[in-house]
Amino acid sequence: MLASWTAPASDGGFPVTDYLIGTSTDGVNWRTFGDGVSTAPNTKITGLLGKTEYLVRIAAVSEPGTGAWLTTTATTK
């Protein structure tokens, strides 16, 4: 599944240094997707079941810490 998002505005002048990405089918049990360290506002999420609806959450990381989670839904083919 390809995921893309709009990069957040700079947090007090601190640039985004990474994004945390998680997937869940129930909104309770989250699996962290390890995409390495990247500042790109997109990634290909692998290892998902076909024809399944997932919640996908993304949080930006910068020097002050991790920002709020942005959560959306997506269905795999």
Side-chain angles (χ1 to χ4, degrees), residues 5-65:
W5 54 92
T6 301
S10 178
D11 180 18
F14 295 101
V16 171
T17 57
D18 193 16
Y19 289 100
L20 300 179
I21 302 165
T23 59
S24 174
T25 56
D26 62 10
V28 176
N29 300 297
W30 290 90
R31 176 183 154 258
T32 301
F33 176 69
D35 68 335
V37 176
S38 175
T39 58
N42 57 63
T43 192
K44 182 176 182 181
I45 301 173
T46 59
L48 304 177
L49 299 173
K51 298 182 183 178
T52 303
E53 183 174 87
Y54 283 91
L55 292 166
V56 179
R57 68 181 186 179
I58 300 161
V61 178
S62 64
E63 188 176 320

